[in-house]
Amino acid sequence: SSHNLSEEFAEAARQLKKEAPRIQFGKIDVTHQNDLRKEFNIREFPTVKFFVDGNREDPIDCKGVRQASAFITWVKRRTGPSTVIINSTDQAEAIINADDLAVIGFFKELHNDSVEVFCETAKDVPEMPFGMTTSNDICANYGIQKNTVVVFKKGKPVHNEVLQEGRQNKLDLTRIIKTFTLDLVTEYNLETSVKIFDVPVENHILLFTPKNSETFNAIYENYKSAAVEFRGKIMFVLVDTNETRNGRIFEYFRIRDVDVPAVRILNLTSEAKYKMPADEVTVENLKQFCQSYLNGKAKLHLSSEEIPEDWDKMPVKVLVGKNFNRIVF
């Protein structure tokens, strides 16, 4: 919530005041500062912007950071080095085992395009430590080829991403690494919905099913198996149809009890919705659906009425499919 974020922001300010007194923190209530709201194009709340060297024209957006510790890391990585240079296996072990997650880049040299992409990605993922090395011993110790980024979870490698010189994209790497801050399948609820939308993956697949049904475990295992292959490309979300607080999301997807289990894909940018053509939630059907969607071959599902011109004139706003996502989420 906005209140929680405000408290975490204030806590980060308190801690950084001792460590980095040059960094000033400020809070603006834009309901009373309409000019500032317009100047900086503030559309959602809360919004955090970072101004560097007194430059008012081009502040950096701080998105998806929720905890004081992550705020502090985010600011430090913007004002200093974003990654630690690792020179020994002991040092690597210390970073890998210090937290749940860690990201290590194994490189041929410390100055090339791949390293630059890695360091830029580290700035946008303050939730986990980033380290990089060119040491042959360390590469040999983990059996990893150079120019590879490895995500470690609880001390074990869970994802290898080989970087192609000059070809990789910072956003792609950020997406893949950020998805590890969530479970492979994330259950939709009020707490997780914020995190789901913070991870920059615009394609979401949703499984609508009652969690207490006899077939749930088998369906859920299939769903998790399919999720592994599409990490960073499609986010896998579970919606419990027995949870009454999820009513809005059923309405948006026009899901009824008779339809479940149901599988839909949503593209957050275009708000286009797609229905899995097969009824059975098998690994094969899920993979085919996801692949055909990524290849641009999936058929669009469910039309929406046009947004009425006076939809926001009255105290009760009129929502249709086309403006639901933007307004509700």
Side-chain angles (χ1 to χ4, degrees), residues 206-220:
L206 301 97
L207 166 63
F208 293 84
T209 186
K211 280 173 74 180
N212 63 355
S213 75
E214 286 172 18
T215 54
F216 174 74
N217 286 346
I219 287 172
Y220 186 63

Side-chain angles (χ1 to χ4, degrees), residues 246-264:
N246 289 339
R248 273 175 167 178
I249 203 165
F250 307 145
E251 280 171 38
Y252 179 55
F253 284 95
R254 316 257 172 106
I255 302 284
R256 300 163 303 163
D257 289 347
V258 291
D259 297 330
V260 301
V263 178
R264 300 283 187 274

Side-chain angles (χ1 to χ4, degrees), residues 51-108:
F51 294 83
V52 183
D53 294 333
N55 182 356
R56 190 174 179 135
E57 302 300 311
D58 213 6
I60 303 163
D61 275 321
C62 178
K63 286 185 176 162
V65 179
R66 304 268 151 200
Q67 263 93 29
S69 57
F71 264 125
I72 291 166
T73 304
W74 189 90
V75 170
K76 282 182 173 174
R77 288 183 186 175
R78 294 274 163 193
T79 53
S82 61
T83 58
V84 177
I85 294 174
I86 300 169
N87 297 313
S88 71
T89 305
D90 286 352
Q91 195 188 355
E93 281 294 298
I95 290 174
I96 288 163
N97 292 301
D99 227 318
D100 255 13
L101 289 160
V103 185
I104 309 288
F106 297 83
F107 297 110
K108 291 172 186 154

Side-chain angles (χ1 to χ4, degrees), residues 99 166 205 227 271 294 298:
D99 227 318
I205 186 168
E271 300 195 358
L294 291 174

Side-chain angles (χ1 to χ4, degrees), residues 251-255 264 273-274 300-304:
E251 280 171 38
Y252 179 55
F253 284 95
R254 316 257 172 106
I255 302 284
R264 300 283 187 274
K273 297 191 283 274
Y274 303 81
L300 266 173
H301 182 61
L302 297 181
S303 57
S304 161

Side-chain angles (χ1 to χ4, degrees), residues 177-194:
I177 293 172
K178 270 257 189 194
T179 57
F180 286 93
T181 61
L182 294 172
D183 295 328
L184 194 55
V185 171
T186 306
E187 185 177 344
Y188 180 89
N189 57 41
L190 288 173
E191 289 75 53
T192 61
S193 65
V194 173

Side-chain angles (χ1 to χ4, degrees), residues 53-173:
D53 294 333
N55 182 356
R56 190 174 179 135
E57 302 300 311
D58 213 6
I60 303 163
D61 275 321
C62 178
K63 286 185 176 162
V65 179
R66 304 268 151 200
Q67 263 93 29
S69 57
F71 264 125
I72 291 166
T73 304
W74 189 90
V75 170
K76 282 182 173 174
R77 288 183 186 175
R78 294 274 163 193
T79 53
S82 61
T83 58
V84 177
I85 294 174
I86 300 169
N87 297 313
S88 71
T89 305
D90 286 352
Q91 195 188 355
E93 281 294 298
I95 290 174
I96 288 163
N97 292 301
D99 227 318
D100 255 13
L101 289 160
V103 185
I104 309 288
F106 297 83
F107 297 110
K108 291 172 186 154
E109 54 185 359
L110 285 181
H111 303 284
N112 61 25
D113 290 350
S114 302
V115 171
E116 199 173 313
V117 166
F118 183 72
C119 293
E120 284 298 310
T121 302
K123 290 179 182 177
D124 287 335
V125 192
E127 297 91 338
M128 52 187 97
F130 275 63
M132 60 183 180
T133 187
T134 55
S135 156
N136 293 331
D137 290 349
I138 298 173
C139 293
N141 183 62
Y142 294 103
I144 287 162
Q145 300 294 313
K146 292 196 171 174
N147 254 29
T148 304
V149 173
V150 183
V151 180
F152 289 85
K153 190 165 190 171
K154 294 191 167 42
K156 305 256 184 322
V158 286
H159 182 81
N160 284 24
E161 190 70 23
V162 178
L163 299 185
Q164 307 296 324
E165 267 305 317
R167 275 182 40 211
Q168 62 278 355
N169 178 321
K170 179 185 83 115
L171 187 59
D172 289 344
L173 193 55

